Amino acid sequence: MSFWFWYGLQHGIQTTRYPRVHEDAGGVSPGRPVTTRFASSAEAEAAASECPVGAIVSRDHFAEVELRRCIHCQRCRYPAAHAVDWKSDYEWTSTPAGKSSYEELPGAYRRSLHVMVVDAGDCGACLHEVKQLNNPYYNVHRLGIFFSPTPRAADVLLVVGPVTENMRLPLLKTYDAMPNPKRVLAVGACAIDGGVFGRSLMSAGGVEAVLPVDLQVPGDPPPPLAVLHALLAVTGRKTPRAISDDAMRAR
Amino acid sequence: MPSVPERVDLANLYKHLQERFPCTMSAANSGAIAAVTLNDLACLPLLCRFLFWEEGCSFGGLIVEENARRWELRYLFLAPYTGWIEVLIRLPLELTTVPSVSAEIHAADWYEREAEDLFGLQFEKHPRLGDFILHDQLWEEDVAPFRKSFDISQTRANGQRNLNWRPLLVVQDPGAFAMPVGPVYAGGIGESVHFMLETVGEDVLRAVPRLFFNFRAVERIAEGKNVADTLLLAERFAATSSFAHSLAFCSAVESICGVAVPSRAAQLRLVLSELERLRHHVGTIAGICDSTALNVSAAQAAIIEEQLLRASCRISGHRYLFGLNIPGGLRRDFADDQTGYLVSATNEALEQLHVLEERLSFTSSFLDRLEEVGIVDRKSGRDLNLVGPVGRASGRCHDLRRECPYGAYDRYEFEVAQEQEGDGYARLRVLFAEAYQSGNLIRQAIQSLQAGPISVACDLDRSGAALGWAEAPIGATIHWVRLAEGGKVERYRAITASFNNWMAFHSAVEDFAFQDFPIILATFGLSATECDR
Amino acid sequence: MTAITLIRVSLGLLFVSCGCGVVLCTVFQPKACLRVIAVLGALSSGLMMLASSVVLISGQTPVIQLWNLEGFGHLSLRLDNLSSIFLFISGLVYLPASLFVSRYLRDRFQGRYPARRFGVLHFALMGSVVVILSAQDAYSFLISWECMSILCYFLVNYEQNRGTDARAGYVMLAMSEAGFLCVVLAFLIVGRTASDFTFPTLAVTARHLSGAGVWAAFLLGFLGFGVKAGLVPVNFWLPRCYTAAPTAFVPILAGVTLNLGFYGILRLNVDLLPGHLIGAGLLVLVTGSATALVGILYATAENDVKTMLAHSSIENAGIIVAGIGASLVFRAAGFAVPAAIALTAALYHVVNHSVYKTLLFQGAGEIEAATGTRQMDSLGGLARLFPGLSVVFLVACLSISALPPFNGFVSEWLMLQSLLRSAVLSSAVVKIVFALCGAVLALTAALAVTCFVKAYAMSFLGLKRGVWKLDSSGLFGRSGFSSAYLAVACLLLGVLPTFIIPVLNRAVGPITGASATTSLVPAFFKAGESKQELPPAFVEDFHNLGAQTGAKILPGRGLVILVRGNQPNPVVFASSPSYSILALAILLMVTWLIVRRSTRESNTSKNEPWAGGIPRLLPEMTYTATGFSNPVRVVFQAIFRPNTIEDTRQTVSVHFRTAIHRRRDETHLVDRLFFHPIGDAVVWFAKRLAEMHHGRLNAYVSYTVGFLLIILLLYRLT
């Protein structure tokens, strides 16, 4: 059995140095569309019309991106004529629409955070990305973040999926079973506004319809580093973006 | 010695069918080779029995459609190396009782339960209808959300709860009780599935899964949408096999529109399918190592998986290969340096995988936990129509890439991995073997990549219905699409491999030790969300 | 009034009150009978305790001459130290038991119970128990023993019209008679050449017995008294009997009559027989250990509360008898101090067992009256409904599991310590036997914890699993004065062992020749006094540690039990439950204060239990009693040997499983090995005899002729 020990040592340290250093390895994040200035409003309109979920709105020469609705279909990225710019970063956590401030967890939780993950109808990608946080590349244990098997010992409720009707009650029970102080994190476009599934008989259309959400992570799916950024933002080690500051900056 | 199913002689089959059953054979509906329209409803079980047991076809699934005038029920069978046969039943709308075929084909059990829950059809002599997709504790009895008359856009304000609901327990022993596991996953990060493990204290006698906590009614939401939007739904209801699902969907639409995909696109589709299969299998292997708590191997497998995810992202812009398939081909092309990079990334992953496999085969404590655990024998595998690597580990040799080749699969050589024992270790060996074959296929396809267009124009303003299929990482996947005038989707049906295999899961979990439960779950590698849709 | 007069008067009053009880119960109405039982029963118990405590305190043991019958000799009574200890225990238990009988029958049946006969039998039994314990000659002993057996039979089968199993009483009666015969034979062997049958005379005669005679008397006596004490292989009547006996009687059956078996064994072996047989002692030790193991295994696997307690009584009987056996071995080998420790442990366990077993059976009776069921698989959630009963039942379960600060801890600990003293013995074989028996007793202690965790948790905690309805009168489930009395007794016996041991020493000392008090509880408080017993430097060290705390307030020798060793190591082990409970109480108080101080706002919220998000946690999703003890059943499968009666799997449409039926049955080990073979042998023999009754006249005539010939032949030969 000792060969497992040496085998593990052979591979050296693969862990990213985020959050101390920005991680720029290839393939770590799909990137995100950013508000782009076009030569004419017709091009901006054409760019906006590529988006199937209405995440891009054209205003004069600008194609403004509402990242919370983006589902990473990349249709806006590739047409040669009116492609929207994409930025390869991953720090996208934002507060829900209408809330501009966020109350972080007290300082005692900074390096000891327990997260309860609930799959409320997720397609599997967001859940898979959250699972990658335990692999040697990201290794959230070094940051003091742990995934709890029970809500009784959890501080953060991380919800993925648009909250299907069959999972509504278990999700509410999980939230009720968590002791105060607690925060709710909605990860993925489905958890924010239902994604491609929207609101229907079987889907509540996002976690906000069911629980009070503190932070949201856009993306379909958000890469592991984006989820990690959100978990750090819960305790104040990182700052969430306010809503659409991209638009503000471009102006 | 892997066994190969016999090719079905179509002419003989037609003769037998016409002799024994009151049916009419007609030309292929696009995608299927034969449509058998059965005129007498009472013969349905016998016909299905004939096809499944005597002719050796495997069961594909049940497609229920509600037209303006009548019901159309299609029972799909796959005649190996020959093609799809659909048995078509037409019923007037008022008649909602159909004889059940689940006594003859046990694999049809859950299809009929699904039809009953969603459409309100009654299947006579079915052993257990109800409490399937619409859980009894939440939903009233006569809700049929897939009927055209039902408005699915309304949300329920507060779900009605039946407080007197009790689970159906099977073990009748004075001291028996049932341990509930889930639906909120109890071990950290996992999908929402609910199990009742019935036991008398030591061994678990029976474990029954309750699924459909992730049911989003994708098939119903798609109705009325255009093809592009439905493609989004098709690739995003089960993201870890998203490329295979989008491939099946696009093949169906291409069949309706009668277009043939250019050969470069077919080859690249093969490359991306195999990339997804490789990544998915490595993820399942990581899950198996994790469930047996061999942490170093789980970490090493996770490293390989992350490398493949990053490679996927570098060439396609998305870690899970979303948004690549369109009807007619691929959305965009790949440059030579990208494909070269992919080959080198794949080779590196396979090298590490070889080392991992070798190390694991020498770790007896790991093998002890997998051998003779969760056995599905060959007979049960045939009976319950197991598909995918799980089925191939139980002696079944069905692989859609071989039996019913699609895309560029008929151009390349590859082996179909097969094992006989049907236990956890056999499933692990099949996963490794298929991963190597996938790498092999990627290399072959990229080496022989032809120049040419990456897609053809597809005129979507057509009406018609067709079948599209693909061998997803978990197993055989079938998508059926019916387009109406104006290119709107009228009926979309997704039959997934996880649905089939979850139906068969109960046969692997009878009389087992409680500690083996996560291991059996991990070796099956099933996706609840793919089953639930 | 001198001590002797006091003893005579109280004993006399005791018999008078029992007699009054019998008479009044025949005369009064049933409702009034219950009051008579309570009042006169309490009075009698008080007199029992008075008489025995005067004997123990004053040391006077007067002989009370009864009658001088022709052919029987003098019938006399005498309360010596051993008798008075057992008499005190009986009084201690009879007080709450009588009160319980009265309250229970009044509440349960509202005056419709045939309490008259019950009262008569109750007081008659009390009288016969007193006579057994104070008998000074074999005739009064044996006559009252037989009376006691018959009265027990009547009381066990008291409710046979209500559907209880009448066969249980018959088995008990048959076994009691068989045991009685063995005891009579033992007395006859001992007193073959005696002039009269008083115990002192028998003791003298016994010294002249040959080796075979001693062995024969010992074996017969052990077998005979072992029936009453519930030892393997003659205890197969006990579980059946305890389950079938009415709730009003079972506490007395378990708390008083069981002790008579131990008394008999002790009286025979330490008083009447010469004590030089190591083999006899070893046999007693091994039998006790085996009994203990078998008893607790079946108790852990049992789901009926009453039957489980019956098996647990068997286990405790085994422990007591093992202690007696160890003491006999040490005494025969000439080591008086270990013998004293072992006998003290055994007697302490008798006291403890009587107290907590009575409490447990009373609790089981209350549970059955309140819910209508005894099956632990169907109980659950009673703690919320009956908080008082839950507390006393918990105290009893903790006591029987030998957890400090309750009484079971002291006696179990002393028992294991005494077995460890076997290091001083010289024979290797004996030491190995001691080691094995010690291991078996340790195993039984562990299994006892499992058993009573299951008993308490499955009955009182969790969700209600069955479909029983609570009895609407609300009279049951209260823990009355009797339960509280016993629970407090459990606590006091556990916390003040240093005061109990000197009392037991009064009996132990003369028997073994060494003082248990000196070896276990030297005068620790006063450094001067203890100079003779412990090295002064050693005492100084302990005093510096604070062992003198409480010396000014508390009388007596100290609060620490020491197990003494040799010169280089004067103390092998020390224990003080009194200080432990004090420390425990202080720590809990301090913790509570700190927690109260440091948590300012109350952040606690009450919520339903987390069950994975299912809509409701149903009772069928919680552990059952069978499930809890199944691992024990599986591990000890070789002993249980369950037969699978039914293991069918029903399916519909060939593949859909609708039901899995499983039923298993087991025959008790003792039944399998002894009862059924003996029964089968007797039946076989009876069948052979029955073949003689064929109805042919000619053969009957030939029987007569043949018998005549045999007699003539015998007459000729002798």
Side-chain angles (χ1 to χ4, degrees):
Chain A
M1 283 295 283
S2 60
F3 59 67
W4 284 114
F5 176 64
W6 298 116
Y7 180 54
L9 284 184
Q10 271 167 26
H11 281 255
I13 296 179
Q14 308 275 353
T15 315
T16 174
R17 287 186 298 158
Y18 182 80
R20 276 191 298 123
V21 172
H22 174 77
E23 176 66 61
D24 55 4
V28 147
S29 162
R32 64 179 168 105
V34 291
T35 301
T36 318
R37 190 180 199 284
F38 286 98
S40 65
S41 3
E43 280 184 26
E45 271 179 40
S49 65
E50 291 283 353
C51 182
V53 289
I56 309 182
V57 171
S58 74
R59 200 160 301 176
D60 291 340
H61 297 269
F62 289 95
E64 287 176 0
V65 172
E66 169 53 85
L67 190 59
R68 283 200 293 262
R69 308 185 68 138
C70 176
I71 58 169
H72 279 94
C73 63
Q74 303 186 68
R75 291 183 192 180
C76 60
R77 191 176 190 178
Y78 291 110
H82 42 263
V84 169
D85 292 336
W86 275 59
K87 187 173 166 192
S88 73
D89 70 347
Y90 41 80
E91 298 192 332
W92 310 330
T93 314
S94 64
T95 52
K99 275 174 72 168
S100 54
S101 67
Y102 161 70
E103 187 193 339
E104 50 202 49
L105 279 173
Y109 295 89
R110 280 186 87 107
R111 287 182 197 278
S112 172
L113 189 68
H114 284 72
V115 183
M116 177 78 194
V117 177
V118 175
D119 167 22
D122 177 53
C123 63
C126 295
L127 202 64
H128 208 79
E129 296 291 67
V130 172
K131 235 189 259 197
Q132 301 306 103
L133 283 175
N134 279 325
N135 74 22
Y137 280 104
Y138 305 108
N139 190 17
V140 291
H141 286 196
R142 69 191 159 98
L143 299 168
I145 302 173
F146 306 94
F147 290 101
S148 164
T150 164
R152 290 274 192 241
D155 312 306
V156 178
L157 181 64
L158 195 155
V159 189
V160 287
V163 187
T164 54
E165 188 58 32
N166 285 343
M167 272 308 280
R168 175 193 288 259
L169 188 64
L171 183 62
L172 284 170
K173 279 186 180 275
T174 315
Y175 182 74
D176 286 338
M178 286 172 65
N180 287 320
K182 54 190 172 186
R183 300 286 180 269
V184 176
L185 202 55
V187 170
C190 295
I192 294 177
D193 62 0
V196 296
F197 306 105
R199 282 169 65 96
S200 75
L201 180 70
M202 300 307 300
S203 149
V207 184
E208 263 194 290
V210 177
L211 292 175
V213 174
D214 294 291
L215 288 175
Q216 294 173 334
V217 187
D220 195 349
L225 286 176
V227 181
L228 185 52
H229 177 252
L231 289 172
L232 295 171
V234 165
T235 50
R237 287 164 79 175
K238 287 275 178 186
T239 332
R241 284 173 60 234
I243 326 135
S244 50
D245 64 354
D246 249 343
M248 310 290 259
R249 265 211 308 271
R251 284 282 171 83
Chain B
M1 183 62 183
S3 59
V4 173
E6 285 183 16
R7 182 181 286 270
V8 166
D9 182 356
L10 263 187
N12 254 341
L13 176 64
Y14 288 175
K15 205 164 64 135
H16 285 147
L17 281 175
Q18 305 227 264
E19 278 168 12
R20 291 166 68 158
F21 302 103
C23 57
T24 50
M25 315 283 301
S26 56
N29 209 340
S30 342
I33 49 156
V36 178
T37 310
L38 190 60
N39 301 325
D40 181 5
L41 198 55
C43 295
L44 177 62
L46 294 172
L47 174 58
C48 292
R49 181 190 183 78
F50 169 71
L51 284 173
F52 189 72
W53 290 105
E54 294 179 41
E55 292 292 326
C57 302
S58 53
F59 184 64
L62 167 62
I63 303 172
V64 177
E65 278 187 85
E66 183 194 358
N67 288 336
R69 293 158 293 148
R70 61 189 179 200
W71 294 104
E72 284 189 358
L73 273 69
R74 288 179 166 73
Y75 291 79
L76 286 175
F77 290 87
L78 176 62
Y81 296 97
T82 318
W84 295 97
I85 301 174
E86 66 176 38
V87 174
L88 178 58
I89 307 254
R90 292 198 168 96
L91 298 172
L93 271 182
E94 318 78 52
L95 181 68
T96 53
T97 315
V98 181
S100 160
V101 305
S102 63
E104 315 290 343
I105 303 180
H106 305 158
D109 189 354
W110 276 22
Y111 291 101
E112 294 185 340
R113 285 180 81 180
E114 186 188 11
E116 191 265 343
D117 252 7
L118 298 176
F119 287 96
L121 287 172
Q122 295 300 319
F123 292 87
E124 291 171 328
K125 295 203 213 126
H126 191 283
R128 173 147 167 77
L129 291 175
D131 194 26
F132 189 56
I133 296 184
L134 305 176
H135 294 158
D136 269 355
Q137 71 254 41
L138 278 183
W139 296 87
E140 307 91 356
E141 268 311 306
D142 49 2
V143 171
F146 274 32
R147 299 281 319 242
K148 296 277 195 246
S149 52
F150 196 94
D151 181 9
I152 200 150
S153 62
Q154 300 298 319
T155 52
R156 281 150 64 94
N158 281 309
Q160 176 169 335
R161 278 169 54 182
N162 177 8
L163 286 173
N164 292 330
W165 174 81
R166 297 193 106 88
L168 186 71
L169 295 180
V170 161
V171 177
Q172 316 276 353
D173 185 308
F177 59 100
M179 292 187 274
V181 178
V184 177
Y185 188 72
I189 309 173
E191 293 180 314
S192 297
V193 189
H194 176 48
F195 292 95
M196 295 287 278
L197 303 178
E198 298 185 46
T199 172
V200 194
E202 271 290 295
D203 277 356
V204 177
L205 295 173
R206 184 166 167 77
V208 178
R210 289 182 91 223
L211 293 155
F212 299 99
F213 284 92
N214 286 6
F215 178 64
R216 291 146 289 171
V218 162
E219 298 177 4
R220 186 76 168 86
I221 297 176
E223 289 176 12
K225 291 205 161 125
N226 60 17
V227 168
D229 288 341
T230 311
L231 176 58
L232 281 179
L233 282 173
E235 77 182 358
R236 280 153 202 271
F237 74 80
T240 44
S241 327
S242 96
F243 193 84
H245 286 297
S246 61
L247 177 58
F249 179 79
C250 289
S251 319
V253 173
E254 285 151 12
S255 290
I256 296 178
C257 303
V259 301
V261 171
S263 78
R264 182 179 174 87
Q267 287 172 314
L268 282 172
R269 274 183 173 179
L270 184 147
V271 167
L272 292 168
S273 298
E274 294 308 312
L275 176 61
E276 182 178 70
R277 189 185 320 278
L278 175 61
R279 191 254 306 144
H280 190 276
H281 284 346
V282 173
T284 313
I285 291 168
I288 296 174
C289 295
D290 201 25
S291 72
T292 53
L294 191 57
N295 288 330
V296 177
S297 65
Q300 297 302 324
I303 288 177
I304 303 173
E305 188 186 8
E306 176 71 16
Q307 286 170 356
L308 288 169
L309 281 169
R310 290 187 186 183
S312 310
C313 189
R314 280 178 71 160
I315 59 161
S316 73
H318 197 282
R319 285 159 63 98
Y320 293 87
L321 304 172
F322 283 10
L324 286 175
N325 270 320
I326 54 168
L330 291 177
R331 189 179 296 279
R332 59 188 186 87
D333 206 345
F334 293 96
D336 283 344
D337 57 336
Q338 286 181 307
T339 53
Y341 164 72
L342 184 59
V343 171
S344 64
T346 312
N347 286 339
E348 202 184 309
L350 286 181
E351 259 178 50
Q352 294 176 15
L353 210 57
H354 271 293
V355 176
L356 183 67
E357 186 187 17
E358 198 210 326
R359 294 280 185 235
L360 284 176
S361 64
F362 280 115
T363 310
S364 54
S365 60
F366 173 75
L367 298 179
D368 271 345
R369 300 215 66 186
L370 288 181
E371 283 173 331
E372 315 257 327
V373 158
I375 296 183
V376 183
D377 60 7
R378 192 175 177 154
K379 187 172 160 309
S380 302
R382 165 97 176 101
D383 214 15
L384 296 164
N385 200 45
L386 271 183
V387 295
V390 177
R392 293 192 274 277
S394 292
R396 287 176 60 72
C397 52
H398 298 280
D399 187 335
L400 281 184
R401 299 174 288 173
R402 229 344 122 62
E403 290 186 308
C404 206
Y406 56 95
Y409 281 103
D410 45 6
R411 285 184 242 172
Y412 298 104
E413 282 295 316
F414 66 99
E415 284 175 26
V416 172
Q418 196 186 22
E419 301 283 344
Q420 303 298 327
E421 294 90 352
D423 63 2
Y425 188 37
R427 293 193 276 268
L428 182 69
R429 291 199 302 272
V430 167
L431 288 171
F432 272 111
E434 284 194 11
Y436 301 141
Q437 291 302 317
S438 295
N440 201 6
L441 276 169
I442 292 174
R443 261 199 303 266
Q444 285 183 56
I446 289 182
Q447 270 165 12
S448 62
L449 198 57
Q450 296 171 356
I454 197 65
S455 66
V456 297
C458 199
D459 174 21
L460 293 172
D461 195 5
R462 299 274 209 106
S463 65
L467 195 66
W469 62 91
E471 177 78 12
I474 294 184
T477 301
I478 303 166
H479 287 229
W480 163 274
V481 183
R482 180 182 290 282
L483 293 181
E485 295 294 331
K488 296 284 183 206
V489 169
E490 195 181 316
R491 173 81 171 108
Y492 168 51
R493 174 86 171 107
I495 298 174
T496 56
S498 288
F499 188 86
N500 259 317
N501 285 354
W502 270 116
M503 178 170 27
F505 182 70
H506 70 87
S507 63
V509 283
E510 258 187 24
D511 287 327
F512 64 100
F514 177 61
Q515 308 88 295
D516 287 338
F517 189 65
I519 299 178
I520 302 177
L521 265 183
T523 55
F524 264 73
L526 297 176
S527 167
T529 188
E530 195 188 32
C531 170
D532 296 349
R533 287 154 292 139
Chain C
M1 180 180 284
T2 62
I4 294 185
T5 331
L6 193 55
I7 294 169
R8 284 177 195 269
V9 165
S10 46
L11 214 51
L13 277 177
L14 175 58
F15 285 119
V16 164
S17 92
C18 286
C20 279
V22 170
V23 168
L24 289 177
C25 281
T26 18
V27 170
F28 281 6
Q29 294 299 316
K31 261 197 203 149
C33 277
L34 294 176
R35 215 153 297 169
V36 166
I37 291 178
V39 171
L40 282 180
L43 181 63
S44 313
S45 336
L47 287 168
M48 274 194 235
M49 289 197 274
L50 178 64
S52 41
S53 31
V54 172
V55 170
L56 287 171
I57 291 175
S58 66
Q60 308 282 346
T61 59
V63 178
I64 302 172
Q65 299 285 355
L66 292 178
W67 305 283
N68 194 348
L69 294 178
E70 193 59 47
F72 284 99
H74 285 283
L75 299 179
S76 52
L77 300 177
R78 180 171 178 232
L79 277 180
D80 64 358
N81 289 328
L82 187 64
S83 305
S84 49
I85 286 179
F86 277 90
L87 192 64
F88 187 88
I89 296 171
S90 306
L92 191 67
V93 168
Y94 252 116
L95 176 62
S98 307
L99 295 174
F100 175 76
V101 164
S102 139
R103 181 176 70 81
Y104 178 81
L105 289 178
R106 189 187 62 227
D107 291 340
R108 185 86 195 262
F109 299 100
Q110 271 103 30
R112 283 194 299 279
Y113 197 78
R116 275 195 195 150
R117 283 202 303 279
F118 193 92
V120 169
L121 292 169
H122 180 87
F123 284 107
L125 183 64
M126 200 186 288
S128 63
V129 167
V130 176
V131 175
I132 291 175
L133 290 176
S134 52
Q136 187 56 14
D137 71 294
Y139 289 117
S140 37
F141 183 86
L142 290 171
I143 291 171
S144 50
W145 187 274
E146 183 66 3
C147 286
M148 182 269 302
S149 303
I150 296 177
L151 288 167
C152 276
Y153 162 71
F154 281 133
L155 280 166
V156 164
N157 267 0
Y158 200 72
E159 287 180 357
Q160 64 181 9
N161 295 333
R162 291 171 193 271
T164 56
D165 190 6
R167 288 175 304 171
Y170 293 148
V171 174
M172 181 182 101
L173 188 62
M175 289 307 299
S176 302
E177 294 307 316
F180 178 69
L181 282 175
C182 293
V183 169
V184 167
L185 280 175
F187 272 112
L188 284 176
I189 292 176
V190 170
R192 204 157 51 103
T193 55
S195 50
D196 63 43
F197 270 82
T198 55
F199 285 169
T201 323
L202 286 177
V204 169
T205 335
R207 271 187 225 119
H208 304 298
L209 275 178
S210 64
V214 173
W215 266 106
F218 162 75
L219 283 173
L220 285 168
F222 188 53
L223 196 66
F225 287 121
V227 170
K228 203 66 204 163
L231 300 178
V232 156
V234 286
N235 62 357
F236 42 83
W237 60 273
L238 209 153
R240 295 178 164 85
C241 196
Y242 278 41
T243 314
T247 312
F249 178 56
V250 173
I252 298 169
L253 189 60
V256 177
T257 58
L258 195 70
N259 299 342
L260 298 173
F262 309 134
Y263 174 74
I265 294 175
L266 276 173
R267 184 60 75 191
L268 191 65
N269 281 300
V270 308
D271 225 22
L272 299 178
L273 288 178
H276 57 258
L277 290 177
I278 290 192
L282 277 182
L283 182 66
V284 174
L285 173 65
V286 169
T287 313
S289 312
T291 310
L293 185 62
V294 170
I296 197 60
L297 275 178
Y298 277 97
T300 314
E302 184 62 54
N303 286 335
D304 179 328
V305 181
K306 246 171 140 184
T307 319
M308 184 258 310
L309 291 174
H311 284 295
S312 168
S313 289
I314 295 177
E315 177 228 349
N316 282 293
I319 294 177
I320 294 167
V321 167
I324 294 175
S327 166
L328 291 175
V329 172
F330 282 126
R331 193 176 72 132
F335 295 101
V337 168
I341 298 177
L343 193 57
T344 312
L347 287 177
Y348 211 124
H349 204 83
V350 175
V351 180
N352 291 343
H353 171 70
S354 309
V355 171
Y356 52 58
K357 195 43 69 71
T358 310
L359 181 56
L360 281 169
F361 271 111
Q362 283 182 2
E366 293 274 355
I367 292 175
E368 189 188 8
T371 62
T373 176
R374 290 197 310 248
Q375 296 297 327
M376 285 192 275
D377 271 339
S378 316
L379 292 173
L382 292 177
R384 234 165 280 124
L385 300 168
F386 306 127
L389 179 63
S390 153
V391 169
V392 294
F393 201 85
L394 180 61
V395 167
C397 286
L398 290 175
S399 311
I400 200 170
S401 312
L403 292 170
F406 297 105
N407 51 2
F409 168 70
V410 181
S411 55
E412 282 272 357
W413 180 75
L414 278 176
M415 185 78 61
L416 290 171
Q417 283 293 331
S418 62
L419 288 178
L420 286 175
R421 300 287 103 240
S422 67
V424 305
L425 294 169
S426 48
S427 161
V429 172
V430 173
K431 280 202 270 206
I432 290 175
V433 171
F434 263 79
L436 287 175
C437 291
V440 167
L441 285 182
L443 177 62
T444 63
L447 285 172
V449 177
T450 312
C451 177
F452 282 93
V453 164
K454 168 183 153 191
Y456 181 69
M458 291 302 150
S459 315
F460 285 89
L461 304 177
L463 294 175
K464 172 178 142 175
R465 276 185 295 275
V467 289
W468 42 266
K469 273 169 51 97
L470 218 49
D471 101 289
S472 46
S473 63
L475 292 167
F476 293 102
R478 296 175 305 153
S479 68
F481 167 75
S482 43
S483 312
Y485 166 102
L486 288 168
V488 169
C490 281
L491 184 63
L492 287 177
L493 284 168
V495 166
L496 304 172
T498 52
F499 294 95
I500 312 287
I501 289 178
V503 172
L504 295 175
N505 189 43
R506 297 250 179 217
V508 169
I511 293 175
T512 55
S515 163
T517 319
T518 324
S519 39
L520 289 176
V521 192
F524 210 70
F525 275 164
K526 302 179 174 58
E529 266 180 40
S530 69
K531 240 187 264 183
Q532 302 92 342
E533 296 156 358
L534 290 170
F538 171 79
V539 169
E540 273 306 307
D541 283 336
F542 259 77
H543 279 181
N544 292 340
L545 283 174
Q548 216 174 2
T549 316
K552 302 257 178 2
I553 322 165
L554 292 165
R557 321 189 96 212
L559 292 175
V560 180
I561 306 178
L562 301 176
V563 172
R564 306 271 298 279
N566 302 323
Q567 197 51 25
N569 193 9
V571 170
V572 172
F573 199 89
S575 151
S576 173
S578 331
Y579 286 137
S580 305
I581 191 178
L582 208 58
L584 184 68
I586 291 174
L587 279 173
L588 283 175
M589 185 79 64
V590 166
T591 314
W592 183 74
L593 280 173
I594 291 177
V595 168
R596 276 297 287 261
R597 270 296 146 87
S598 51
T599 55
R600 297 259 159 211
E601 29 172 311
S602 73
N603 264 336
T604 54
S605 59
K606 273 192 196 259
N607 211 339
E608 51 186 25
W610 170 247
I614 55 179
R616 210 155 54 102
L617 185 66
L618 296 168
E620 49 258 41
M621 298 179 192
T622 57
Y623 249 86
T624 56
T626 317
F628 190 84
S629 57
N630 216 17
V632 171
R633 250 203 214 93
V634 168
V635 169
F636 287 98
Q637 223 167 2
I639 294 184
F640 285 108
R641 296 256 188 94
N643 323 314
T644 306
I645 296 182
E646 196 185 355
D647 187 349
T648 57
R649 287 157 199 247
Q650 293 176 355
T651 53
V652 169
S653 295
V654 181
H655 70 291
F656 188 82
R657 190 88 69 214
T658 49
I660 297 178
H661 291 282
R662 273 168 45 127
R663 257 187 331 125
R664 297 181 143 194
D665 200 4
E666 348 176 295
T667 332
H668 196 285
L669 176 77
V670 174
D671 284 356
R672 245 188 1 249
L673 295 179
F674 295 103
F675 187 32
H676 289 157
I678 293 176
D680 292 342
V682 168
V683 168
W684 177 87
F685 188 64
K687 278 208 183 114
R688 299 287 87 77
L689 285 183
E691 282 166 13
M692 283 179 23
H693 300 271
H694 39 59
R696 292 202 290 274
L697 206 51
N698 300 340
Y700 288 165
V701 172
S702 64
Y703 289 161
T704 319
V705 171
F707 216 63
L708 188 60
L709 284 175
I710 291 173
I711 289 179
L712 290 173
L713 204 60
L714 281 174
Y715 186 67
R716 191 76 182 116
L717 287 175
T718 53

